[in-house]
Amino acid sequence: MGRDEHLQIEFPLALAPMAGISDRPFRQLCFDQGAGLVINEMLSSKPELRHTRKSEQRRIRADDPEPRAVQLLGNEPDDLARAAQQAYRDGAQLIDLNLGCPAKKVCRKAAGSALMAEPDTVARLLEATVNAVPCPITLKMRTGPDETWRNAPEIARIAEENGVAMLSIHGRTRAQKYLGEAEYDTIAQVVAERRIPVLANGDIDSVDKAFDVLEKTGAAGLMIGRAAFGRPWLFAQLRAALEGRRVPPDPLATEVMGLLREQFENIYRHYGNVMGVRIARKHWGWYSSQLPIDEGTRKEFNRLETIESQRRWLDRREAELRSVSSPSADISA
C-alpha cells in the first residue's frame, strides 16, 4: 500500500536490484522465467547524475515488466523525493530505497548500506520519499553495520512507522559485504515484529535452500541475487517448487545457449555495439560455466570486438553443442 495506490505482486519471488546486472534485458528474462518482481538497478538521486548516459539507460519504460520497480540511491531527502517523482512520471509503480549496497564508492558517500548506521537519517529519507509519490515505497537493507550492531529490527520499525510497504533483507551486515554465510535469525526477528511483508535474501541458490530460508524466517517471499547469474531458470525452478508443481530440471546445454542468445540480442539492442559487446562478455562468463566448453575456448569470446563476431562465434558453438547432443551423434559414437 502506497500513499494513495495499492499494488499486488503476483508472486513473492523477486530479482534483487543489482548495479550493472539487473538491467532491462536481464530483468525481462528473469520475469519470463517466473520472477514476480524484477527491480531496476539502482539510480542515483543526485540531480547532476540524473541525465547521464548511464542513468538514461537505466530509466524505467512503459514496456518494462509490471509491476515496474525502480531502486533509488541517495542520502538527501529533497534529492530522493524529486528522484522518486521523476521515476513515478517515467512509469514506476513501486520505488525501492537502497540501504543494502556495500560498495566502497557508495558507502564513502554515506549512502547504501552506510545508512544502516544512521537511523535518524533513514527516517528523514523515508518520510520525504513516501510523501513525494502516491505509489508504494519499499526498502532493501542488510542486517546491520557489523556483527556487533545488527540493527535491522530498529530500521524495520522506522520503515513501517514511515509508511514503507515492504522490506527485503540481505542476511549479511555491511562489513561482511558478500563474504561468509548469510544468517537468517535477524530476518526472522523482523518478520515476527513487523506487520508489513518481508522478503528474505542471501545465499538462496536452490529449491532446498529456498524452503529452508522460508522455514527459518517466516518471510512472505524470497529475493534472489547472485545465484541467478547465468542461471535465470532458477526462478522457474523456485516458483514451481513453491507452487507445489514439478520442478523443471536444469536446462540442456543447447537450451542454455538459447536463453543466453535471447538475452544477448536484447543486450545488443539496448546498449549498442560497444557497450553491448562488453556487457555480453560479462554474462558469458557466468553462462559458460554451465556449458561443456573447455576454458580455453570459452575465453575466446572475450577477445571478440563486435556484435557480429560474437554472433558468428556463438553460432559455431551452438552448432557444435547440437551435434554432440543429436541422436545421430549418439548412435555413431
Side-chain angles (χ1 to χ4, degrees), residues 197-333:
V198 176
L199 303 183
N201 174 227
D203 296 350
I204 303 167
D205 57 3
S206 68
V207 168
D208 287 345
K209 189 59 179 281
F211 280 112
D212 181 54
V213 171
L214 287 173
E215 181 179 0
K216 287 179 177 177
T217 64
L222 301 172
M223 177 172 279
I224 310 301
R226 293 173 297 152
F229 291 2
R231 292 176 65 208
W233 56 85
L234 179 61
F235 286 101
Q237 293 172 328
L238 293 177
R239 182 155 183 167
L242 295 170
E243 290 181 333
R245 296 183 284 109
R246 183 185 67 84
V247 176
D250 286 345
L252 301 173
T254 51
E255 295 169 327
V256 172
M257 187 65 80
L259 284 170
L260 79 85
R261 300 204 70 175
E262 175 187 346
Q263 184 182 350
F264 284 11
E265 289 303 316
N266 287 331
I267 286 172
Y268 299 149
R269 281 192 291 271
H270 185 63
Y271 291 103
N273 189 65
V274 176
M275 284 301 298
V277 165
R278 293 175 183 173
I279 290 169
R281 287 176 190 157
K282 175 169 59 179
H283 286 274
W284 169 253
W286 294 313
Y287 276 113
S288 63
S289 65
Q290 317 290 325
L291 298 171
I293 299 175
D294 67 83
E295 184 177 359
T297 303
R298 292 204 305 265
K299 288 182 177 179
E300 291 175 3
F301 187 82
N302 296 327
R303 296 193 288 271
L304 303 174
E305 298 289 345
T306 66
I307 289 173
E308 283 306 317
S309 63
Q310 287 187 344
R311 283 175 175 153
R312 289 193 298 269
W313 192 90
L314 290 169
D315 284 342
R316 292 194 295 273
R317 302 291 83 76
E318 188 167 10
E320 290 166 0
L321 291 172
R322 291 189 183 283
S323 174
V324 168
S325 63
S326 67
S328 59
D330 291 339
I331 293 169
S332 62

